Amino acid sequence: MIRSRTLALAALSLSLFSSFPLAAQQPEQIRIDAGAPTTPFPHFWEQTFGSGRAILSLRQSYRDDLRTVKNVTDFKSVRFHGIFLDEVGLYDPDATTQNPGLPPEKVQGAGIYNFSYIDQIYDGLLANGVRPFVELSFMPRKMAADPNQTQSFFYKPVVSPPKDYALWDAMIAAFAQHLIDRYGIDEVATWNFEVWNEPNLDFWGGRPNMPTYFELYDHTALALKKVSQRIRVGGPSTAQAAYVADFLQHCKDHNIPVDFASTHVYANDTAKDVFHTDEQIPRDVMVYRAVKKVHDEIASSPYPTMPLLFSEYNASYSNEPDVTDTTYMGPWLANNIRQCDGLTESMSYWSFSDVFEEQGVVRTPFYGGFGLIAADSIPKPSLNAFAMLHRLGDHRIKLENEDALATRSDDGAVEVAFWNYAPPFGTGAAYTPPPTSKGTDKNFQVTVAGVPSNAKVELLRLDDDHGNAVKAFDTMGRPRGSLTQGQIKQLKAAGSMAPAEQLRLSGGHLQITVPPHGLVLLVVK
């Protein structure tokens, strides 16, 4: 998500060949033993995705993109802001209606709560095999201590504490009871209920922010557990990997229920914000460093086995078209998965679609949006990166390489992802076209032991000419505004995953060249 903070691709090609040219870099050796011991490798990076605010889930385009990403990743839950926004209509204690030319009158038979849109929102998710990851936000205007205390997003969420916690507690209890009545406790008990969003930034108006957030959390957690002890509740849902240790200590000291710890980090967060140091931490290790920090804090807390959920992460918290729109995301994502494995139960990529309005109505499909799918359901390279990495198995084979990841599946197939990470070609809101010279290729010699020496190999690649709609968009001149149907069709075709190549090992070996920002996946049958 975008946050008000200071901001501190690549054409790719990949070739298979039998011998390296004289000028080529010495090949990096990747040796995989298909029969080697493994460690469990749950797909923590694709269990949950973020999305635009709650009401957008009623749009056809949102649900179309949801199904696309579900088919690619089989993700289990989606998290969004604003289930309590006035536009969703839950809380309205004195609801009125007004016809043209007539004075307003009280709605007949209206109660304090109206679950109509909430039911449609959650029904739509569940119908597509996706559960809600329930972020409890923001404040209904008529419940706010200061209804004019709003955050800067396009839809201006009210971030004030409640004027009376008895009203908040009652709404939380009614909300939880309604969900149980509609979906059953066995279903609702599988959901995560997260209290608020990033209370250490301008999404929370209480002052001082952490003590007043703890008050909000305490009221919310106790109200939920009063409805059912089986409801899973957690927090603090902070930005910049902040305050998790303080939060858990607070819960312990005050005997407040907590079932998971959640926080956020983005790869362009600063060391000053995350670690309170003056380091210059590059984009390819910031997320890992933050995840490791919080993992270690939990291990030293009163709850050393508390599940850790990073309920937002991405390569950027702001719109950077050279980052989130481009093939840069392939190596960045793969490397992040390699580093964070074993440190967190789940990482929720922000977000699955650019059906998204935090900065206003989308004006052009490639503006650095956070989603895997651009406007008009045009697939981005990041969608293809997720599709490729979804093919990884559930058992990790240890490698010493820092630019490769190997797994084995239950059926005996071996999967190897490898990449050539390089910084993005540009940063910030203005797009920088790829330079003529894009950097140094990496040469890999892959050896797979424990399989037939001529085993079949399926190869998937993400590069400038495969699965990259941005190159086609550049060729069009990066048109602003709405696209024609012909342009949309062309961009969808350019952004689609290229068909897998069917190859064979030669004496157990395969040699491959990967350019900067390139991602490759081999599946050895």
Side-chain angles (χ1 to χ4, degrees):
M1 85 174 19
I2 278 197
R3 305 200 284 273
S4 298
R5 293 181 288 177
T6 304
L7 270 173
L9 258 172
L12 299 101
S13 65
L14 178 153
S15 62
L16 289 140
F17 53 92
S18 58
S19 62
F20 293 109
L22 294 177
Q25 181 192 59
Q26 278 296 106
E28 177 178 338
Q29 303 293 323
I30 299 178
R31 187 181 188 282
I32 303 103
D33 181 356
T38 62
T39 54
F41 190 57
H43 286 207
F44 62 93
W45 68 92
E46 58 178 1
Q47 300 303 305
T48 303
F49 283 87
S51 84
R53 70 188 191 278
I55 202 71
L56 297 182
S57 69
L58 299 181
R59 292 187 185 174
Q60 184 65 38
S61 55
Y62 180 105
R63 294 183 175 183
D64 288 345
D65 289 354
L66 181 86
R67 283 189 286 271
T68 296
V69 177
K70 174 69 176 177
N71 288 337
V72 164
T73 66
D74 194 29
F75 76 108
K76 302 299 188 290
S77 60
V78 67
R79 174 183 178 270
F80 42 63
H81 309 319
I83 198 66
F84 297 153
L85 287 175
D86 289 343
E87 63 187 359
V88 178
L90 171 61
Y91 180 76
D92 194 353
D94 49 4
T96 61
T97 186
Q98 185 173 8
N99 289 308
L102 298 175
E105 58 184 47
K106 184 171 178 57
V107 175
Q108 297 301 308
I112 296 175
Y113 311 113
N114 180 359
F115 293 98
S116 176
Y117 277 1
I118 286 176
D119 292 345
Q120 293 179 52
I121 288 167
Y122 290 161
D123 287 357
L125 297 181
L126 294 167
N128 284 287
V130 176
R131 289 179 165 128
F133 185 116
V134 183
E135 177 199 302
L136 299 165
S137 70
F138 288 100
M139 193 61 59
R141 189 171 298 275
K142 291 182 180 180
M143 193 180 289
D146 180 1
N148 295 315
Q149 192 173 36
T150 60
Q151 200 268 350
S152 60
F153 281 166
F154 171 72
Y155 53 90
K156 296 297 185 290
V158 176
V159 298
S160 165
K163 60 188 176 185
D164 183 346
Y165 266 105
L167 298 175
W168 175 263
D169 295 350
M171 182 183 73
I172 293 296
F175 175 71
Q177 188 60 59
H178 175 81
L179 297 179
I180 291 171
D181 291 344
R182 187 171 182 87
Y183 304 111
I185 186 57
D186 289 343
E187 171 63 31
V188 175
T190 66
W191 304 1
N192 292 312
F193 288 75
E194 182 183 44
V195 180
W196 214 254
N197 175 71
E198 298 188 346
N200 56 324
L201 298 184
D202 60 356
F203 297 97
W204 175 242
R207 293 294 179 269
N209 64 350
M210 278 296 102
T212 55
Y213 170 75
F214 290 164
E215 181 181 17
L216 176 76
Y217 180 85
D218 295 354
H219 276 271
T220 308
L222 292 170
L224 289 171
K225 293 294 189 178
K226 189 175 181 179
V227 175
S228 174
Q229 289 293 316
R230 295 178 63 188
I231 293 176
R232 290 174 47 81
V233 62
S237 190
T238 40
Q240 303 160 347
Y243 296 119
V244 171
D246 292 339
F247 168 75
L248 293 177
Q249 190 64 54
H250 167 84
C251 291
K252 178 65 174 179
D253 291 346
H254 298 275
N255 196 29
I256 301 299
V258 57
D259 297 300
F260 61 87
S262 66
T263 189
H264 307 159
V265 71
Y266 287 81
N268 61 335
D269 276 327
T270 65
K272 182 177 181 181
D273 286 334
V274 178
F275 299 99
H276 311 293
T277 68
D278 293 325
E279 302 171 77
Q280 297 298 314
I281 301 177
R283 206 183 289 251
D284 59 323
V285 297
M286 171 56 84
V287 170
Y288 159 71
R289 287 274 306 272
V291 171
K292 180 69 163 56
K293 163 185 174 283
V294 180
H295 174 271
D296 292 348
E297 288 174 350
I298 291 175
S300 300
S301 79
Y303 304 99
T305 61
M306 181 66 62
L308 171 58
L309 311 181
F310 265 77
S311 53
E312 285 186 29
Y313 84 107
N314 200 323
S316 181
Y317 60 72
S318 57
N319 295 142
E320 297 188 87
D322 282 287
V323 178
T324 48
D325 285 345
T326 67
T327 50
Y328 167 82
M329 294 302 295
W332 181 85
L333 179 65
N335 189 53
N336 193 71
I337 292 167
R338 178 188 68 85
Q339 296 175 106
C340 294
D341 175 34
L343 299 177
T344 176
E345 280 71 15
S346 175
M347 298 186 72
S348 175
Y349 185 89
W350 188 265
S351 56
F352 79 79
S353 169
D354 281 352
V355 178
F356 196 86
E357 292 178 349
E358 288 181 359
Q359 297 81 53
V361 178
V362 173
R363 297 176 181 272
T364 183
F366 294 104
Y367 65 97
F370 307 114
L372 305 182
I373 304 175
D376 296 311
S377 295
I378 298 167
K380 295 187 188 181
S382 53
L383 179 70
N384 293 323
F386 268 94
M388 292 166 69
L389 296 168
H390 179 70
R391 297 283 303 275
L392 292 170
D394 295 323
H395 311 278
R396 184 173 177 179
I397 300 170
K398 183 178 180 180
L399 294 179
E400 299 301 329
N401 308 70
E402 294 187 350
D403 46 15
L405 185 60
T407 64
R408 188 174 67 231
S409 296
D410 289 336
D411 63 1
V414 173
E415 302 85 14
V416 190
F418 47 98
W419 54 89
N420 185 353
Y421 179 87
F425 293 133
T427 59
Y431 176 67
T432 301
T436 302
S437 177
K438 303 173 184 66
T440 304
D441 292 351
K442 277 190 176 182
N443 300 315
F444 295 89
Q445 178 163 308
V446 182
T447 301
V448 186
V451 300
S453 62
N454 66 340
K456 292 181 179 180
V457 175
E458 185 178 6
L459 182 144
L460 294 168
R461 49 184 167 181
L462 176 61
D463 61 43
D464 190 42
D465 297 316
H466 301 84
N468 179 28
V470 173
K471 182 177 182 180
F473 190 64
D474 288 351
T475 301
M476 290 178 182
R478 299 186 70 85
R480 304 286 295 181
S482 297
L483 301 175
T484 67
Q485 289 298 315
Q487 288 171 326
I488 294 169
K489 184 177 180 180
Q490 183 179 345
L491 291 170
K492 285 183 175 180
S496 297
M497 174 67 74
E501 298 181 19
Q502 306 301 321
L503 308 169
R504 285 186 179 273
L505 297 178
S506 176
H509 305 292
L510 194 65
Q511 293 182 339
I512 300 172
T513 292
V514 185
H517 301 166
L519 174 66
V520 178
L521 180 76
L522 301 180
V523 180
V524 183
K525 300 299 180 68

